[in-house]
Amino acid sequence: MTTVPDEPTPPTAARGAEAPHPLASIRRSIPRDWDDQVDLFAIVKLDGGGFVRGWNHGAERIKGYTEDEIIGSHFSRFYRAEAQRRGLPDQLLAAAQRDGHVEDTGWRVRRDGTEFWARVTISAIRNGEGQVQGFVKIVRDLTSEKQAADERAALQRTFAHDLLSPVTALRGYLDLIGEELPPDHRLLRLAGEASDHIIAMAQALMSDVDSTAERGRRRATLDLIARGAVAVVLPGDLGRVRFGQMDAVAILGDVLGLRRAIANVLENAAKYSDDVIEVDAFETDEGAAVRVRDHGRGIHPDDLASITQEGHRGRLADDGDGGRGIGLASVQQIVSAHGGTLRIHSTLGEGTTVVLSIPRADDEVAD
């Protein structure tokens, strides 16, 4: 009789052996360097002190460093100088260690000094005893999405500014007409209420954009920033402002801060003069500039060197002027933070010219 030999028992089915994990074949098919094949995200491995110990192709593509260039460096080099001074990198590691992970969205710096808008997740890696051994940092470049959102916001802001200017002028004309008509004139009152309502809508539209905008640096044009400052300081007296050369010079900066700086200069011009205020925006060898010129009483020559110091109001100031001597100091601070210059020229009895210059967007170097 012919006997059939027993089939060899597969090792995985041997008596007493565990059944294979259902994901075992999938795990075997994943290469050890799988994270190097992911280029949509930067995957950065940090040790417990925040020094880079691992670097995938996505990190090289997004941040610009090769693995040999970056291994051993502290991850704080990816942050702006201002963020480093605030201790943001260490704060994020501390939060990840405390809570297991932390998320942050903001500007980061590439190898070549350019900036990108990033969404970052940092997760703490622990051993069996729960001690933190290191961190995994996953970064996605969202610059294009942010640029699209900023463009939409800029369009909304421009629309609001363009709407606000003629309506505020119309409101001024109604006030002039009101001087010739009875104060209770029905049609005049209705027209005034309607114009006030449109002004409120335009201001709410600008406020909505500004409140949702990222308060860091973003691209804008200096002419629109200057027009926005005029609309804020002299909303019902736009006829007092004469716009001259208004070039759309692109800058990369803190738009709200720059608008506040120009507004401070305009407030001084309106306070110390009764004549037309001239506003220009133009390009110079230094970058982008805004010039505000008034025809008021001027600043004493001996005060020009110290007028931007906080608390210094100048010897021509009096109690009736108001103010505490912080407006021009604030302007100087904002302009300096953008790497720019503030120049003040004044002649007693003839007026003052203030020029704010900051780098153009193409000239801007990241912190």
Side-chain angles (χ1 to χ4, degrees):
M1 183 176 72
T2 304
T3 60
V4 179
D6 295 336
E7 281 192 31
T9 304
T12 54
R15 181 175 298 176
E18 290 185 9
H21 192 283
L23 297 180
S25 60
I26 298 177
R27 287 173 175 165
R28 285 195 298 270
S29 68
I30 297 177
R32 292 180 181 272
D33 63 344
W34 64 271
D35 54 342
D36 285 335
Q37 300 185 31
V38 176
D39 62 3
L40 181 62
F41 300 90
I43 301 176
V44 183
K45 299 172 184 177
L46 308 175
D47 63 17
F51 292 88
V52 177
R53 300 305 179 196
W55 191 255
N56 77 330
H57 289 312
E60 181 174 339
R61 181 184 67 82
I62 293 174
K63 295 178 180 288
Y65 296 92
T66 64
E67 187 173 25
D68 291 339
E69 290 175 318
I70 201 64
I71 293 296
S73 298
H74 197 268
F75 86 113
S76 59
R77 72 185 306 170
F78 308 134
Y79 292 76
R80 286 174 163 179
E82 185 273 334
Q84 294 180 33
R85 288 192 294 269
R86 288 191 290 113
L88 178 61
D90 290 335
Q91 293 171 16
L92 293 175
L93 287 191
Q97 183 168 354
R98 181 186 66 244
D99 303 327
H101 74 278
V102 65
E103 295 184 357
D104 182 55
T105 301
W107 291 110
R108 299 294 185 270
V109 182
R110 295 188 178 93
R111 182 182 183 278
D112 62 3
T114 59
E115 297 183 354
F116 65 101
W117 187 251
R119 179 170 296 158
V120 179
T121 301
I122 302 176
S123 299
I125 306 301
R126 303 179 185 274
N127 60 17
E129 288 73 39
Q131 298 172 327
V132 173
Q133 300 296 295
F135 303 88
V136 172
K137 183 169 178 274
I138 299 177
V139 182
R140 185 169 185 182
D141 183 356
L142 297 179
T143 305
S144 59
E145 290 89 336
K146 176 167 177 53
Q147 288 174 340
D150 286 347
E151 288 173 2
R152 291 192 297 270
L155 181 62
Q156 181 176 338
R157 188 180 295 104
T158 301
F159 172 79
H161 287 162
D162 290 347
L163 175 64
L164 187 59
S165 296
V167 175
T168 50
L170 174 62
R171 189 66 181 87
Y173 298 146
L174 290 174
D175 290 339
L176 292 176
I177 295 173
E179 296 177 1
E180 306 296 329
L181 296 175
D184 59 347
H185 194 285
R186 178 175 174 274
L187 294 180
L188 183 63
R189 177 176 56 80
L190 292 175
E193 291 175 355
S195 62
D196 287 343
H197 180 64
I198 297 175
I199 290 173
M201 290 174 60
Q203 290 175 336
L205 189 61
M206 286 193 296
S207 176
D208 177 64
V209 173
D210 290 338
S211 65
T212 57
E214 193 269 324
R215 293 305 179 96
R217 297 189 177 191
R218 57 184 175 80
R219 193 179 183 91
T221 58
L222 206 52
D223 63 318
L224 285 182
I225 297 175
R227 290 183 184 275
V230 171
V232 169
V233 176
L234 300 165
D237 197 11
L238 294 183
R240 190 179 174 189
V241 176
R242 180 186 301 150
F243 291 108
Q245 182 177 349
M246 297 297 288
D247 297 335
V249 186
I251 58 95
L252 188 67
D254 174 5
V255 174
L256 296 179
L258 289 171
R259 190 177 71 182
R260 185 169 67 251
I262 298 171
N264 283 341
V265 175
L266 286 166
E267 286 174 352
N268 283 344
K271 182 188 300 182
Y272 299 122
S273 69
D274 298 319
D275 207 340
V276 170
I277 301 169
E278 302 168 19
V279 178
D280 299 271
F282 50 92
E283 190 171 6
T284 71
D285 292 338
E286 295 179 329
V290 169
R291 179 173 56 222
V292 177
R293 179 186 291 124
D294 68 59
H295 302 276
R297 69 191 186 195
I299 301 171
H300 194 282
D302 294 338
D303 291 326
L304 288 174
S306 57
I307 197 67
T308 59
Q309 296 176 8
E310 187 169 350
H312 189 99
R313 299 182 59 208
R315 64 199 66 203
L316 299 182
D318 57 50
D319 294 338
D321 292 334
R324 295 174 294 169
I326 61 175
L328 286 177
S330 173
V331 175
Q332 179 67 76
Q333 182 180 18
I334 293 169
V335 172
S336 297
H338 285 79
T341 58
L342 174 66
R343 293 185 174 91
I344 303 175
H345 305 279
S346 189
T347 302
L348 286 177
E350 296 183 12
T352 300
T353 299
V354 179
V355 180
L356 297 75
S357 299
I358 64 172
R360 292 180 295 267
D362 294 339
D363 299 338
E364 181 75 10
V365 178
D367 290 337

